Amino acid sequence: MRKAGRSEVTDAAAAVRQALEDAESVAVLTGAGISAESGVPTFRGQGGLWRNFRPEELATPEAFERDPRLVWEWYDWRRGRIHKTKPNAGHHALAELERRKTRDGLKSEAFALITQNVDGLHDRAGSQRILKLHGDIWLVRCVNCGAEERNEQVPLGELPPRCRCGSLIRPGVVWFGEPLPAAEWEQAFAAAAHSGIFMVVGTSGVVYPAAGLVEVARHAGAGIVVTNPEATPLDSHATWVLRGASGEILPRLL
Ligand code: BV8
Ligand code: ZN
């Protein structure tokens, strides 16, 4: 993919800005890349590795079954990293876009933020309608009695944490091989299927079914905007590709 020069991005950004203005409904799919400028390591970029493990090796029920303490050491380390960060201009731009699209109290479906991220930075940036497809690192759940609570303690202390009922507590995230939460998936699917503009920000587009939402939107006739400093498999579906960092590109769309 040819590196678009500054002028091409500006022209495309102008076209996207107009399309966002005109769109009846906007849906956005974000991945780890939108949090990169906040200092949260992405999964597949540099720094995505921890003690030479790949995320696919630790973010699974089998890994937790085999060594719950090791998996919790990874999550405790990530919680500690995320705890120190704050939302960046990209997160804030999406919260502002939502305010603009829903300002006239238009139907709340006018805007949907669909995220694969578990870091909670969209919440802290003030986004309201957030569909968390892969859960939330600040939620913990008992594997036995299902008791779920928000836990923002950093570090967690005794690992793995145990529930009052004596069973193991797990992170409230969706692991590989696990189904996505049904309600969030259905709402995300509907948002993609009814979107006029579908934005894809900071995702390598390799994890399904989340990445499949782009095709749902395209089949529904949505304009597809991909924002990423690198080329991704989703670029082939894009109406516009804005090559660059989301913290720089998204504020320029407002
Ligand atoms: C499911 C939560 C079915 C945990 C995550 C073989 C065996 C088993 C399963 C499969 C298989 N083949 C395919 C599958 C399906 C599997 C899958 O897709 N695997 C992939 C790896 C091939 N999917 C699943 O298992 C899903 N479940 O299919 O269930 C089912 C149905 C019914 C009943 C039973 C089962 C569940 C997937 C969810 C996994 N959980 N996370 C945790 O966080 O610990 S996925 C993980 O990857 C994160 O959620 C992350 O968000 C996600 C995707 O990664 P990205 O967000 O894209 O991040 P990445 O690092 O890859 O890319 C960052 C991008 O940002 C890059 O492009 C970079 O260029 C860009 N960037 C960098 N800087 C910036 C930037 N962009 C903008 N600005 C910048 N400044
Ligand atoms: Zn319990």
Side-chain angles (χ1 to χ4, degrees):
M1 172 69 75
R2 176 176 59 79
K3 278 257 182 220
R6 173 78 53 193
S7 61
E8 280 103 329
V9 172
T10 318
D11 300 351
V16 170
R17 198 174 14 251
Q18 188 57 54
L20 284 172
E21 283 270 320
D22 302 343
E24 283 285 295
S25 57
V26 174
V28 187
L29 172 67
T30 61
I34 195 167
S35 298
E37 288 154 278
S38 296
V40 180
T42 62
F43 279 79
R44 293 163 188 87
Q46 75 297 338
L49 288 179
W50 175 78
R51 290 192 202 165
N52 294 325
F53 286 104
R54 288 184 313 107
E56 285 80 0
E57 292 171 289
L58 290 178
T60 70
E62 294 75 23
F64 188 72
E65 184 74 31
R66 189 174 54 246
D67 192 342
R69 182 188 167 81
L70 174 71
V71 172
W72 262 115
E73 284 172 359
W74 181 47
Y75 279 94
D76 203 31
W77 174 78
R78 286 173 64 195
R79 288 160 53 109
R81 291 284 304 260
I82 294 165
H83 178 69
K84 295 192 190 89
T85 69
K86 57 186 181 35
N88 64 62
H91 297 103
H92 289 296
L94 292 183
E96 173 58 24
L97 180 59
E98 177 180 27
R99 282 190 286 272
R100 292 189 187 181
K101 295 311 288 182
T102 56
R103 172 174 40 224
D104 343 318
L106 270 179
K107 50 188 183 8
S108 68
E109 302 86 84
F111 186 90
L113 174 54
I114 305 159
T115 189
Q116 301 171 89
N117 299 343
V118 297
D119 57 31
L121 289 178
H122 285 306
D123 305 78
R124 289 171 53 196
S127 288
Q128 296 301 305
R129 188 169 182 232
I130 307 172
L131 300 170
K132 295 177 183 171
L133 297 184
H134 296 161
D136 185 334
I137 203 165
W138 300 112
L139 285 179
V140 296
R141 184 172 73 242
C142 173
V143 298
N144 176 37
C145 72
E148 180 168 90
E149 64 175 21
R150 177 159 290 283
N151 172 310
E152 300 189 356
Q153 189 188 333
V154 169
L156 262 171
E158 177 65 25
L159 296 178
R162 287 200 171 270
C163 175
R164 281 183 300 283
C165 79
S167 296
L168 281 175
I169 282 180
R170 61 166 283 173
V173 301
V174 178
W175 282 326
F176 289 102
E178 294 189 319
L180 273 54
E184 282 77 5
W185 174 249
E186 278 151 29
Q187 289 178 57
F189 191 97
H194 299 103
S195 58
I197 292 286
F198 192 87
M199 300 178 75
V200 185
V201 181
T203 183
S204 57
V206 299
V207 173
Y208 281 80
L213 290 171
V214 183
E215 286 161 82
V216 171
R218 195 168 59 87
H219 285 309
I224 310 291
V225 187
V226 174
T227 296
N228 196 312
E230 309 289 330
T232 75
L234 300 178
D235 293 4
S236 60
H237 298 301
T239 313
W240 301 282
V241 174
L242 303 179
R243 187 67 66 226
S246 46
E248 285 161 36
I249 291 201
L250 295 182
R252 294 214 309 252
L253 298 181
L254 294 180

